[in-house]
């Protein structure tokens, strides 16, 4: 009878140690899960912030300003545009548009007509 009691006592102690070990591992895993969830929230916040910055950096006005200032680029016009044919030859540029003629000036009234108008 004493052997059975001793064997059962050893089984209870082994089971208790296994239970303590399992609870310890469970707590470690829960702590790791919480840490990973915090990292995920932080990364999500960073991603949202970076997307907002990306949208702010890519506005057409800012891109045009940087192109003009840093890259010394200019907007296209027909006078500076060159068209290339599939065989590699360049189509001549469009001739610059002549300035519009000035509107005719009103003719000076003859002195006789000015006196008659009075």
């Amino acid at each position: 009878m004493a052997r059975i009691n001793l064997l059962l006592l050893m089984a209870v102690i082994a089971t208790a140690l296994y239970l303590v070990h399992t609870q310890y591992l469970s707590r470690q895993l829960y702590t790791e899960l919480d840490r990973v969830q915090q990292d995920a929230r932080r990364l999500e916040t960073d991603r949202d912030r970076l997307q907002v910055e990306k949208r702010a950096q890519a506005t057409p006005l800012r891109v045009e300003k940087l192109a003009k200032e840093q890259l010394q680029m200019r907007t296209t016009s027909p006078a500076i545009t060159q068209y290339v044919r599939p065989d590699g030859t360049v189509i001549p540029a469009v001739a610059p548009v002549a300035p519009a003629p000035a509107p005719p000036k009103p003719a000076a009234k003859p002195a006789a007509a000015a006196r008659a108008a009075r």
Side-chain angles (χ1 to χ4, degrees):
M1 185 83 165
R3 283 188 176 177
I4 293 177
N5 286 340
L6 186 61
L7 185 63
L8 289 175
L9 179 65
M10 299 275 285
V12 168
I13 291 174
T15 305
L17 288 174
Y18 179 74
L19 179 64
V20 168
H21 178 70
T22 304
Q23 286 178 343
Y24 174 75
L25 290 177
S26 173
R27 287 186 181 127
Q28 277 187 330
L29 290 174
Y30 181 77
T31 304
E32 183 67 23
L33 175 66
D34 188 48
R35 188 177 313 123
V36 168
Q37 286 176 342
Q38 286 176 355
D39 287 345
R41 284 190 294 270
R42 182 184 51 80
L43 290 173
E44 183 71 22
T45 304
D46 286 348
R47 184 182 66 88
D48 292 342
R49 180 184 53 82
L50 290 172
Q51 282 183 340
V52 168
E53 285 181 18
K54 178 182 169 186
R55 277 187 243 122
Q57 296 291 327
T59 59
L61 187 60
R62 183 176 183 281
V63 170
E64 185 175 344
K65 178 183 172 190
L66 289 174
K68 285 181 181 179
E69 291 175 359
Q70 293 181 0
L71 303 175
Q72 286 82 37
M73 297 176 83
R74 56 188 173 168
T75 55
T76 59
S77 68
I80 62 171
T81 304
Q82 292 183 347
Y83 298 97
V84 180
R85 291 190 178 108
D87 62 358
T89 59
V90 177
I91 300 172
V94 176
V97 178
K105 294 182 181 177
K109 294 183 180 178
R115 285 186 209 126
R118 288 186 194 174

